[in-house]
Amino acid sequence: MRLKKDSSEQKLRGAYYTPSQLADAMAELFASQNISTILEPSCGDGVFLDALQNFNLLNKIDKLTAVEIESDEAEKVRNRYSGFNQVEVCAEDFFEFYNRVLGKEQFDLILGNPPYIRYQYLKESQREMQSQILTSHGMKANKLINAWVAFIVACVQLLSENGKIAFVIPAEILQVAYAEDLRLYLADNLAKITLITFEQLVFPDIEQEVVVFIGEKGEEEKGIRIIEMNDLSGFAHLDLEQNGFQKLQHVKEKWTKYFVNAEEMALIQEFREDERFAKFSEYGIINVGITTGNNKYFSITEETSEQYQLGEVTLPLIGRSSHAHGIYFTAEDWASNKLSGKRARLISFPEIPYDEYPDKHKEYIMIGETKGENEGYKCSIRDRWYIVPSVWVPDAFFLRRNNLYPKFVLNCCGAVSTDTMHRMKFNNDVEPENVLLAYYNSISFAFTEICGRSYGGGVLEILPGEMGNIILPKIEHIDTDIRKGILEKIDTIIQSDDDIEKALDLVDQEILVNLMKIEPDICKNFRLIWKKMQKRRLGRA
């Protein structure tokens, strides 16, 4: 972890200056609108003021207020616009400005790029003000929340009756858990929400995927729409008055679901409520895999196991996707992984007195301490750093981070996994192979993309709660020979790294259509939803 004293000034301020091309594109959206007052809450070097001037907006308005916490930057902007009586530059913290003007001033347009400052880099006074802004509007305040969240909440409060807000913000707003209260707040307080996304990174200096968020107040709720652009050139064809809004659900769910159209959304909602389907979570307990605190130390090869005689205190390990060759993790798979030199064993030292440990085990522990393997946070807070907690053998595994799709794998050899995989323990009345079969179909794959999140580099990340929300067809009565035959074909497809759509075709037809009497066109539509969302995600790679 980088400490505050080691971080750059830019990172502490969260000041990633907006490219002028983007600022110009955003300002042009409002060039022909009737606007009297404008706020720029974090003006930095004044790029948004420059953009407004480029489109002659400064000469049409009554007042523009620009706020900038850095006095040197504020002075530069103030000097540059000293000839504009309608421009006021305030050198102060925006949170203090908000507290000063709330209830006294309102703005027709709030435009800018709020700072992306993590909680740990905020001053204590800023933390208190941020917390007050969030909690006063029914939102949680915690150490995960970035400063831009409170900026948006405060700015929405400062909008006039039909005011508009346009911000450059992290694409995290679409999906991260810490922004779920914000999504609900915006749904409840804005009549229109437009999100503009980009296939290309628009900030040249940071690997930060951003969106342009445009919110509008008004009496009639229109909903939400997502407009996808390849790059900034897409603004040339954008008309904010065009339609395309979907009804916005006033819930905390991810907004990534709005990448599908209204008809597809209606289909998704219909199957969420279809009694022929159940959530993954209804079949058992889903947990993150074992948190060792140091996977490199506790996950070992056969050579290391033999060198320190650790065999009796290790468990078979499925370490990553490549360790599972098909939809079953078998003793043969484990043996193959051991022979190929993979880290195929997980150390689980017993809760017995240290003095009773064999000398070779003590030697391995001492080597770890010599190398500082015990100093990581999760190891250091344990009573005995080398004893890994919460070790139990699950019935199945589900990969946490994925490329084309996540594998769901039955555990057939008493293996365990680290936190690279989630682990599942089925309820007593569950037939494991029915659940295994139920996952590999177009509807469940579509819901996997909907429930998951784009982690970066095109990776799909699924957290345990998100896995639990994936819906599966209820397979309660199926001929065991038919089930065995289908599963063998799926296993062959995955083991040979063949096109996974061949498996989906098979299960769609045999289970969804033949067994459950679902219309083939519905399967096709869900396949299109899955591929659309997968393609968008992979486009970020």
Side-chain angles (χ1 to χ4, degrees):
M1 176 186 295
R2 291 186 63 187
L3 299 177
K4 183 173 179 177
K5 63 182 176 64
D6 300 321
S7 300
S8 68
E9 180 183 355
Q10 182 187 53
K11 188 168 184 178
L12 294 177
R13 291 173 53 206
Y16 297 102
Y17 291 150
T18 311
S20 58
Q21 185 184 0
L22 176 56
D24 284 349
M26 292 171 63
E28 188 177 11
L29 294 174
F30 305 99
S32 61
Q33 298 189 17
N34 184 23
I35 294 169
S36 177
T37 54
I38 299 177
L39 171 66
E40 214 291 36
S42 181
C43 75
D45 60 356
V47 66
F48 280 98
L49 276 74
D50 297 343
L52 292 167
Q53 175 59 11
N54 289 341
F55 294 97
N56 202 34
L57 266 168
L58 294 186
N59 295 316
K60 298 178 181 178
I61 63 173
D62 295 333
K63 183 178 181 181
L64 181 144
T65 304
V67 182
E68 173 52 43
I69 192 171
E70 293 294 321
S71 57
D72 291 346
E73 292 279 44
E75 186 63 24
K76 291 176 186 176
V77 176
R78 186 182 294 118
N79 291 337
R80 201 159 77 242
Y81 284 91
S82 59
F84 291 81
N85 293 330
Q86 66 272 46
V87 174
E88 177 187 14
V89 180
C90 304
E92 65 180 313
D93 188 310
F94 170 71
F95 292 155
E96 294 177 351
F97 170 84
Y98 164 78
N99 286 331
R100 180 166 61 83
V101 305
L102 182 64
K104 301 173 185 176
E105 292 188 52
Q106 290 186 320
F107 302 90
D108 300 328
L109 173 64
I110 301 179
L111 184 72
N113 174 12
Y116 308 164
I117 311 175
R118 293 180 180 177
Y119 181 90
Q120 63 264 37
Y121 298 135
L122 293 172
K123 298 176 183 177
E124 187 58 38
S125 60
Q126 292 174 316
R127 292 177 182 178
E128 291 175 2
M129 286 187 285
Q130 174 171 288
S131 176
Q132 192 277 330
I133 290 169
L134 297 176
T135 56
S136 66
H137 295 97
M139 302 169 64
K140 295 188 293 291
N142 60 49
K143 295 181 181 180
L144 295 175
I145 294 178
N146 197 298
W148 63 265
V149 175
F151 260 72
I152 292 185
V153 173
C155 285
V156 169
Q157 287 297 303
L158 295 176
L159 287 176
S160 60
E161 185 176 344
N162 293 294
K164 301 175 177 65
I165 180 172
F167 270 0
V168 183
I169 57 176
E172 294 172 352
I173 190 175
L174 296 166
Q175 58 189 14
V176 296
Y178 78 72
E180 62 181 15
D181 280 349
L182 174 64
R183 292 192 288 270
L184 179 58
Y185 171 81
L186 295 172
D188 289 342
N189 287 275
L190 296 171
K192 297 179 184 177
I193 293 173
T194 300
L195 292 157
I196 301 171
T197 71
F198 307 94
E199 291 186 16
Q200 306 296 323
L201 291 172
V202 297
F203 278 68
D205 299 326
I206 57 170
E207 293 292 313
Q208 172 75 65
E209 185 184 347
V210 300
V211 299
V212 173
F213 170 87
I214 302 172
E216 302 180 45
K217 280 194 170 181
E219 294 182 1
E220 183 183 359
E221 182 178 318
K222 295 292 186 181
I224 188 171
R225 64 180 174 181
I226 296 180
I227 297 171
E228 298 181 79
M229 296 181 181
N230 180 56
D231 53 33
L232 297 178
S233 64
F235 278 100
H237 313 289
L238 176 62
D239 177 10
L240 274 186
E241 300 307 313
Q242 70 188 13
N243 211 318
F245 289 97
Q246 297 186 45
K247 181 175 175 59
L248 180 61
Q249 296 175 322
H250 292 248
V251 295
K252 298 180 180 181
E253 289 182 336
K254 297 183 180 74
W255 280 353
T256 46
K257 65 185 181 182
Y258 294 109
F259 280 105
V260 300
N261 61 41
E263 292 76 16
E264 292 167 334
M265 178 60 70
L267 185 63
I268 290 166
Q269 289 302 116
E270 177 186 343
F271 273 78
R272 267 204 177 104
E273 299 165 6
D274 194 313
E275 293 184 353
R276 296 172 295 176
F277 287 75
K279 292 181 178 181
F280 238 132
S281 58
E282 295 180 42
Y283 291 104
I285 298 170
I286 301 169
N287 277 174
V288 69
I290 297 168
T291 304
T292 67
N294 189 328
N295 285 349
K296 186 177 180 181
Y297 178 81
F298 290 102
S299 304
I300 61 172
T301 62
E302 195 67 9
E303 181 183 2
T304 300
S305 177
E306 292 174 358
Q307 182 179 354
Y308 297 99
Q309 300 171 12
L310 293 164
E312 64 182 36
V313 293
T314 62
L315 292 166
L317 174 68
I318 176 171
R320 55 189 63 193
S321 177
S322 61
H323 288 195
H325 309 295
I327 59 175
Y328 301 95
F329 188 61
T330 65
E332 290 76 18
D333 291 321
W334 184 51
S336 174
N337 291 339
K338 287 190 294 180
L339 284 173
S340 63
K342 292 176 179 175
R343 296 178 179 271
R345 290 182 182 269
L346 185 83
I347 299 173
S348 180
F349 285 120
E351 290 271 8
I352 61 174
Y354 180 77
D355 290 343
E356 296 180 16
Y357 278 27
D359 289 342
K360 282 291 185 179
H361 295 188
K362 291 178 182 178
E363 182 181 349
Y364 189 73
I365 292 169
M366 291 175 65
I367 288 172
E369 292 175 353
T370 301
K371 293 181 177 180
E373 307 287 8
N374 58 321
E375 295 174 0
Y377 174 72
K378 291 177 181 177
C379 289
S380 65
I381 61 174
R382 297 173 189 155
D383 292 336
R384 296 162 68 179
W385 73 270
Y386 49 85
I387 296 182
V388 177
S390 187
V391 175
W392 49 268
V393 176
D395 299 317
F397 305 102
F398 191 92
L399 195 62
R400 176 179 176 178
R401 290 178 184 163
N402 314 270
N403 181 26
L404 297 178
Y405 65 94
K407 287 180 183 176
F408 182 51
V409 180
L410 287 192
N411 186 8
C412 301
C413 63
V416 294
S417 70
T418 63
D419 50 9
T420 59
M421 290 196 174
H422 303 320
R423 47 187 174 168
M424 184 169 188
K425 193 77 170 177
F426 292 123
N427 297 333
N428 291 333
D429 59 346
V430 169
E431 170 51 61
E433 288 197 329
N434 283 357
V435 183
L436 181 65
L437 178 57
Y439 174 67
Y440 290 94
N441 68 86
S442 294
I443 295 177
S444 298
F445 267 42
F447 271 89
T448 301
E449 290 284 343
I450 293 164
C451 293
R453 65 188 64 195
S454 179
Y455 179 74
V459 172
L460 175 67
E461 181 177 54
I462 312 281
L463 300 182
E466 294 163 348
M467 175 188 166
N469 286 326
I470 298 169
I471 67 167
L472 310 176
K474 294 179 181 176
I475 302 176
E476 297 172 342
H477 306 289
I478 184 171
D479 183 276
T480 54
D481 289 336
I482 293 175
R483 181 182 66 202
K484 180 181 178 183
I486 298 172
L487 287 172
E488 285 178 351
K489 291 176 182 177
I490 297 171
D491 194 43
T492 299
I493 290 167
I494 293 176
Q495 288 214 41
S496 60
D497 201 23
D498 203 349
D499 186 353
I500 191 60
E501 289 196 60
K502 293 180 180 179
L504 302 187
D505 289 341
L506 177 64
V507 180
D508 286 358
Q509 184 62 49
E510 295 294 336
I511 302 302
L512 300 184
V513 176
N514 294 349
L515 185 64
M516 305 186 68
K517 309 304 179 187
I518 292 173
E519 292 294 325
D521 283 348
I522 289 177
C523 300
K524 292 177 183 177
N525 288 336
F526 271 108
R527 182 77 62 90
L528 290 173
I529 292 170
W530 169 60
K531 295 184 75 172
K532 176 194 293 189
M533 298 194 72
Q534 182 202 55
K535 180 181 178 182
R536 179 189 176 276
R537 169 174 59 81
L538 293 174
R540 299 294 189 272

